[in-house]
Amino acid sequence: MNKKIIMTVDDSASVRQMVSFTLRGSGYEVVEAVDGADALSKLKGPRVRMMFVDLNMPNMDGIELIRAVRSKPEYKFIPIVMLTTESQASKKQEGKAAGATGWIVKPFRPEQLVAVVKKVLG
Amino acid sequence: MDRHREAYREEAQELLAKLEASLLELEETPQNTELIGNIFRALHTIKGSGAMFGFDDIARFTHEIETVFELVRDGKLSVSKELMNLTLSSLDHIKAMLDEAESDEISKSEIIHSFRNLLLETGNWKLETGNWKLETGNRKPETENSELETENPELVQISDSDFHKNVTYRIRFHPGSDIFTNGTNPILLLNELRGIGYCSVVAQINDIPTLEDINPEACYTSWDIILTTSKGINSIKDVFIFVEDNCEIDIEMIDETGSESDTIYKKVGEILVDRGDLSTDDLNQVLETKKLFGEMLVEEKKVEVGAVESALAEQKHVKKMLGGRREKPTASSIRVPAARLDSLVDLVGELVTVQARLSQKASFQNEPELISIAEEVERLTGEIRNNTMSIRMLPIGTIFTKFKRLVRDLCNELDKEAVLVIEGGDTELDKTVIDQLNEPLMHIIRNTIDHGIEPPNVRESLGKPRQGTVHLAAEHSGPNVFIRISGDGSGINPEDIRAKAMEKGLISPDAKLTDKEIFSLIFIPGLSTAKQLSGVSGRGVGMDVVKRTIENLRGTVGISSKKGRGTTVTLKLPLTLAIIDGLLVKMDEGFFVFPLSIVEECVELAHDDLNSARQRNMMNFRGEIIPYLSLREMFMVEGKNPAIEQIIVVESRDGRVGFGVDRVMGQYQTVIKTLGKIYREVEGFSGATILGDGTVALILDIARLVRCVEDKEVFSV
């Protein structure tokens, strides 16, 4: 089987690097995007199976991105996990309402990241 | 981790520079909300990422500033000169922390203190029971106690005193009908539950409406799950952490099996009453009559069929758990002669063929009753097949351990030091495959030690441990088993092989080959790079034999090597030889079988796409350009090309390849028969199978087929 592609959307280069490194190590392919607009344009490429979305981003923030992705028929059911910090409890609700599948709280450890992938992507 | 820390440091430096510029700009245009947003976000990133990469002090410190700017953003605090001064000096402070200079604790707490004073003056701080507490207005107490969120999940787990005790839970999982729309797959949650303990799942399908009323995007099913686990209730709650808001989830403890109770578990009626599905009055009323209890309840319309089924499953589950505890010590096995097993497999093979005939006949006659019998037989045959195959499975460790001795003897003979490390010895493989693996593995291990592992004094001078290590690892992956043999020896020098191959006239001197292609030359007969022949290897027979043996088992061999670091040989083997799941396709009047394990997708091509694919031998598959091969052309099948062609997209060694066929018939349990002597040399087929009506279908060997075409292309260029 081909490797499943996971997209990480984050304006922080170091977080993207960490997510990519961890997921590639667990046998997934990773596409990186720097903000919501970038993510949407990259979704037009090879099919993405899951997304990690940071909530605070310039151009198009995470909530808007989740809504935009959910409105695309081909990505209507894709698992989307948002990255939040502990101070964003209300954001978490907003994200869920927009259609996020789950969340992971920064700071997280690589094992947690992989556990979440296993949980929502199988 | 250091690499990540370095990346963070660079990023943070960049962000700080931008922050500084934004702050100075903000001083001139204090009402610029976009600017404030930028500043807040930059602080947020510094904080969030800082915590990820172990810069906890930076995260804590930045959190304070972020809090202040959250207020600014929400318009509760205005931009003042004092605020600017403080923020700028705190940026300098973060810079110092990034450089890991001596952290100046005094100035840090001074800055924080000044911030707090500033907030106090503007009325954004409240004094509560002697503690400073921030009121930002949008902060709720954290209620989730997920494992994902706790910084030290170990602490949570240890406090669970029932840690090793098996407890049985009844879980009712009723997903919201919109559960799919936020990307949740409930099946994965059930699988996760299965992963944490012994689990019986009963699906409740009463809510599914009739076909015309169904909304395909809604979830109508709910599940009753009986789970026996030692992991505690929190691990169950963690499974549902993402969905607890829009699903009904009841978790109830029904049996603490830590105590050895011999009592008989509750009757079905009691369970139903216990769950609130049935009232005690109704129970007693129904008990007056004497029939099978569950049936009576349903007849009387007191409960739904699903509820009874679920209660029965619970009863069975708990009985089994209780029984299991009593029977455990007497787990036993029977020894059976291998020949008897082989004949069983043959019989199953014939049964599968007959079943295929039955299914075909049934669908041909289109008689519902016969079809339902045929389907039942098909299901049972499938189960018998899987069971029989699993009986023949043996752990590969049985032959692995033999090689310890081989390594020891070889080392003595060659004056080398090496140790064999075995991993995945419990991986199971078909007995016939294991039997034939002995020779190839022996060859490879010999080569690894003879060519690869250097003598101890050489190793020492290279800075390696005196003793070399040979790893022998087996691992399951889909329908295949991977066996890796790797040594930390000298590795293969591609140039040596190239020189040798040129000397033997196997390649032309100007051939441009990638390392991968060069390594594949090793498998050509007559190539040996050992400078001197030893008693063990170097005659150039061996690797080609290995390759042939593995290919006869329908497997593949791969090799990778790093000069000075060692070589890894990877064998990819199918789990079983006798019966596979196949995809049956039709070309004109002939049938062919693709092994289903490598089929990725079936798509249709029509008109223009098809014509351009035929001309260029390439096709567009979901935006990806992949090679296209027409089976009709390859096998010179007669008849006209259909207007719409079915394309079977398969995963081959070097990427996807699309095969054009006339019609896809469907999935087919394929009993593999080897081809007779005369056809043995025909490339591209791994065998044949007999279909239900007695027709013979050829089983395609995709890897070989692709290679054939590649070779032909090379010649024609």
Side-chain angles (χ1 to χ4, degrees):
Chain A
M1 281 302 273
N2 259 29
K3 287 181 181 172
K4 286 182 180 165
I5 302 176
I6 299 177
M7 182 183 274
T8 164
V9 192
D10 203 306
D11 55 338
S12 160
S14 52
V15 172
R16 287 201 306 273
Q17 192 195 42
M18 187 266 196
V19 172
S20 304
F21 183 79
T22 309
L23 295 181
R24 289 204 176 106
S26 308
Y28 298 96
E29 213 169 290
V30 182
V31 178
E32 294 183 16
V34 297
D35 58 43
D38 188 28
L40 282 181
S41 73
K42 282 179 178 159
L43 278 179
K44 288 174 188 141
R47 187 167 178 79
V48 173
R49 301 299 191 90
M50 179 186 170
M51 295 173 80
F52 281 102
V53 174
D54 185 37
L55 288 187
N56 260 300
M57 289 184 296
N59 285 333
M60 178 190 264
D61 73 12
I63 305 282
E64 277 177 72
L65 173 63
I66 293 172
R67 280 202 200 100
V69 172
R70 283 275 176 255
S71 67
K72 290 169 170 285
E74 68 271 35
Y75 285 111
K76 196 166 178 184
F77 304 113
I78 185 181
I80 303 177
V81 171
M82 50 187 166
L83 304 180
T84 67
T85 54
E86 75 289 354
S87 65
Q88 290 174 307
S90 67
K91 279 272 181 185
K92 201 188 283 178
Q93 287 310 318
E94 210 182 318
K96 283 230 79 177
T101 314
W103 58 85
I104 185 163
V105 175
K106 289 193 224 175
F108 52 82
R109 295 189 312 266
E111 315 75 278
Q112 293 174 317
L113 195 70
V114 177
V116 168
V117 174
K118 291 265 176 301
K119 187 184 194 71
V120 300
L121 188 59
Chain B
M1 204 60 195
D2 279 347
R3 208 159 61 99
H4 299 314
R5 279 176 73 96
E6 201 42 56
Y8 170 71
R9 213 170 273 148
E10 272 169 35
E11 183 185 19
Q13 301 282 16
E14 226 168 83
L15 282 169
L16 284 172
K18 268 192 214 156
L19 253 178
E20 203 170 277
S22 306
L23 279 170
L24 294 173
E25 212 182 322
L26 182 69
E27 206 165 14
E28 279 157 32
T29 54
Q31 303 301 327
N32 189 336
T33 49
E34 193 187 323
L35 215 47
I36 296 174
N38 284 345
I39 293 169
F40 178 74
R41 210 158 37 230
L43 286 168
H44 190 80
T45 304
I46 294 178
K47 178 187 102 173
S49 307
M52 299 260 318
F53 303 110
F55 293 90
D56 292 334
D57 47 346
I58 295 185
R60 262 196 304 278
F61 182 71
T62 317
H63 176 73
E64 301 283 342
I65 318 169
E66 189 198 359
T67 317
V68 174
F69 271 86
E70 201 172 352
L71 293 172
V72 177
R73 191 186 58 176
D74 298 346
K76 290 184 184 155
L77 188 72
S78 56
V79 180
S80 65
K81 187 151 174 58
E82 206 184 344
L83 176 72
M84 285 297 119
N85 287 342
L86 271 173
T87 316
L88 284 170
S89 61
S90 48
L91 291 194
D92 295 338
H93 195 76
I94 297 175
K95 253 181 234 166
M97 286 196 273
L98 267 180
D99 295 337
E100 282 174 47
E102 280 298 302
S103 182
D104 189 351
E105 281 301 318
I106 302 162
S107 73
K108 186 163 105 184
S109 56
E110 253 172 33
I111 293 174
I112 294 178
H113 195 72
S114 314
F115 266 124
R116 289 184 175 168
N117 273 341
L118 183 73
L119 294 179
L120 193 61
E121 282 162 27
T122 52
N124 278 299
W125 281 87
K126 281 185 182 170
L127 205 54
E128 264 181 28
T129 61
N131 282 328
W132 294 105
K133 195 175 175 198
L134 188 61
E135 288 262 308
T136 55
N138 64 349
R139 195 176 289 203
K140 283 182 198 151
E142 290 286 310
T143 45
E144 291 85 357
N145 61 343
S146 150
E147 191 191 80
L148 303 175
E149 298 188 32
T150 349
E151 264 188 318
N152 294 312
E154 298 86 359
L155 293 181
V156 180
Q157 302 249 324
I158 289 163
S159 68
D160 197 345
S161 61
D162 296 331
F163 199 66
H164 293 295
K165 208 154 103 182
N166 265 330
V167 178
T168 303
Y169 297 93
R170 172 196 300 151
I171 305 160
R172 302 199 125 175
F173 171 40
H174 201 294
S177 62
D178 60 345
I179 187 165
F180 298 141
T181 56
N182 65 14
T184 305
N185 181 350
I187 302 299
L188 292 177
L189 298 177
L190 297 177
N191 287 345
E192 212 179 326
L193 283 178
R194 290 193 180 102
I196 60 176
Y198 174 72
C199 194
S200 308
V201 181
V202 177
Q204 295 295 338
I205 50 176
N206 293 320
D207 296 339
I208 299 181
T210 51
L211 194 54
E212 61 256 39
D213 296 329
I214 263 183
N215 170 5
E217 291 183 359
C219 177
Y220 297 103
T221 317
S222 62
W223 287 271
D224 286 354
I225 303 129
I226 310 295
L227 173 71
T228 305
T229 178
S230 59
K231 301 251 169 72
I233 194 160
N234 278 336
S235 62
I236 303 176
K237 283 184 177 157
D238 277 348
V239 170
F240 295 107
I241 177 95
F242 289 157
V243 295
E244 60 190 6
D245 293 345
N246 51 359
C247 298
E248 282 175 46
I249 297 151
D250 292 325
I251 306 174
E252 235 181 295
M253 196 169 75
I254 52 170
D255 181 38
E256 261 185 285
T257 54
S259 56
E260 290 275 331
S261 68
D262 273 333
T263 48
I264 295 159
Y265 193 66
K266 294 172 196 149
K267 296 203 167 112
V268 178
E270 285 167 350
I271 297 175
L272 285 167
V273 172
D274 209 21
R275 292 169 170 217
D277 284 339
L278 182 73
S279 74
T280 323
D281 289 347
D282 285 342
L283 173 68
N284 290 334
Q285 191 195 327
V286 176
L287 277 177
E288 303 285 298
T289 56
K290 291 233 169 182
K291 266 199 203 171
L292 251 188
F293 180 66
E295 280 173 26
M296 295 188 291
L297 285 174
V298 177
E299 263 171 39
E300 301 277 324
K301 296 212 168 48
K302 299 292 185 216
V303 289
E304 299 280 355
V305 184
V308 177
E309 254 172 43
S310 157
L312 281 170
E314 174 175 331
Q315 202 181 31
K316 205 167 135 197
H317 178 105
V318 177
K319 265 186 197 156
K320 190 164 170 196
M321 291 316 292
L322 292 170
R325 245 175 288 137
R326 266 180 244 133
E327 281 165 19
K328 220 172 227 163
T330 59
S332 64
S333 63
I334 310 173
R335 294 176 70 94
V336 178
R340 240 188 257 179
L341 269 186
D342 289 344
S343 73
L344 180 64
V345 172
D346 284 346
L347 283 173
V348 170
E350 275 171 47
L351 183 65
V352 169
T353 313
V354 173
Q355 172 265 314
R357 231 169 92 194
L358 177 65
S359 299
Q360 201 174 24
K361 188 89 182 159
S363 69
F364 192 66
Q365 296 204 338
N366 207 11
E367 194 183 310
E369 213 163 315
L370 187 60
I371 289 176
S372 89
I373 294 175
E375 277 170 359
E376 192 82 339
V377 173
E378 185 173 346
R379 189 179 60 78
L380 285 173
T381 320
E383 270 175 38
I384 292 180
R385 181 192 78 157
N386 288 343
N387 266 320
T388 315
M389 288 304 152
S390 73
I391 294 176
R392 276 162 54 108
M393 294 292 196
L394 283 180
I396 199 158
T398 47
I399 58 166
F400 275 12
T401 38
K402 277 195 247 166
F403 295 126
K404 285 219 158 152
R405 180 66 193 273
L406 175 77
V407 170
R408 196 181 157 274
D409 290 354
L410 271 177
C411 286
N412 280 342
E413 193 180 325
L414 300 165
D415 279 333
K416 293 183 177 181
E417 286 178 30
V419 61
L420 181 73
V421 180
I422 293 172
E423 279 168 52
D426 51 357
T427 310
E428 291 189 327
L429 253 174
D430 195 287
K431 187 180 145 294
T432 39
V433 179
I434 288 191
D435 288 348
Q436 294 184 53
L437 267 182
N438 206 1
E439 282 288 303
L441 282 179
M442 200 141 81
H443 262 301
I444 296 168
I445 292 174
R446 268 189 189 157
N447 274 329
T448 309
I449 292 176
D450 193 20
H451 296 316
I453 306 286
E454 308 91 334
N457 46 355
V458 176
R459 288 182 66 87
E460 237 165 25
S461 68
L462 289 169
K464 293 181 180 179
R466 277 180 72 85
Q467 197 178 43
T469 313
V470 180
H471 270 272
L472 185 56
E475 166 189 34
H476 247 144
S477 172
N480 298 306
V481 168
F482 287 89
I483 300 177
R484 288 195 187 81
I485 306 99
S486 51
D488 63 347
S490 56
I492 304 173
N493 186 354
E495 287 311 311
D496 287 353
I497 301 176
R498 172 192 277 277
K500 193 83 184 178
M502 265 191 267
E503 185 193 313
K504 301 253 174 185
L506 295 168
I507 55 171
S508 62
D510 54 348
K512 279 203 179 67
L513 297 173
T514 61
D515 280 2
K516 202 174 156 192
E517 284 164 332
I518 291 180
F519 287 142
S520 68
L521 291 174
I522 292 172
F523 299 110
I524 292 176
L527 192 99
S528 171
T529 55
K531 302 253 156 61
Q532 279 181 336
L533 294 184
S534 70
V536 183
S537 56
R539 291 178 208 284
V541 287
M543 287 314 268
D544 61 313
V545 178
V546 168
K547 189 178 158 116
R548 211 173 320 133
T549 317
I550 300 299
E551 282 182 351
N552 282 342
L553 292 168
R554 289 190 296 114
T556 54
V557 191
I559 189 162
S560 69
S561 181
K562 255 210 177 106
K563 194 170 175 340
R565 302 277 294 280
T567 307
T568 301
V569 180
T570 309
L571 311 182
K572 181 180 168 191
L573 294 160
L575 271 180
T576 176
L577 284 180
I579 304 180
I580 57 165
D581 276 321
L583 185 72
L584 188 64
V585 303
K586 195 173 178 188
M587 297 293 302
D588 199 38
E589 291 303 312
F591 290 95
F592 298 91
V593 176
F594 284 80
L596 195 63
S597 56
I598 59 162
V599 173
E600 266 210 348
E601 227 173 310
C602 300
V603 291
E604 283 183 356
L605 274 193
H607 311 299
D608 298 348
D609 288 343
L610 189 56
N611 285 332
S612 73
R614 286 206 181 109
Q615 275 161 22
R616 291 181 295 174
N617 287 334
M618 284 289 176
M619 60 172 271
N620 184 335
F621 171 67
R622 302 195 187 285
E624 191 189 337
I625 300 295
I626 63 169
Y628 159 88
L629 299 170
S630 165
L631 272 195
R632 181 177 289 278
E633 269 173 39
M634 288 172 74
F635 299 150
M636 286 178 263
V637 179
E638 289 175 8
K640 258 196 0 211
N641 282 318
I644 299 175
E645 203 166 69
Q646 305 289 327
I647 310 291
I648 316 273
V649 179
V650 302
E651 178 69 30
S652 88
R653 203 167 35 124
D654 306 311
R656 300 192 176 101
V657 180
F659 283 91
V661 304
D662 286 1
R663 271 183 71 189
V664 175
M665 308 301 289
Q667 196 174 331
Y668 185 78
Q669 284 191 26
T670 313
V671 184
I672 301 176
K673 307 267 177 199
T674 43
L675 294 170
K677 262 191 201 144
I678 302 170
Y679 302 108
R680 196 61 52 85
E681 296 303 314
V682 179
E683 284 202 272
F685 300 106
S686 55
T689 189
I690 301 165
L691 301 182
D693 59 358
T695 327
V696 173
L698 290 169
I699 301 164
L700 301 172
D701 181 345
I702 300 300
R704 196 87 63 97
L705 215 51
V706 170
R707 215 165 44 232
C708 266
V709 176
E710 272 172 6
D711 291 350
K712 229 186 271 167
E713 290 288 313
V714 172
F715 275 120
S716 65
V717 164

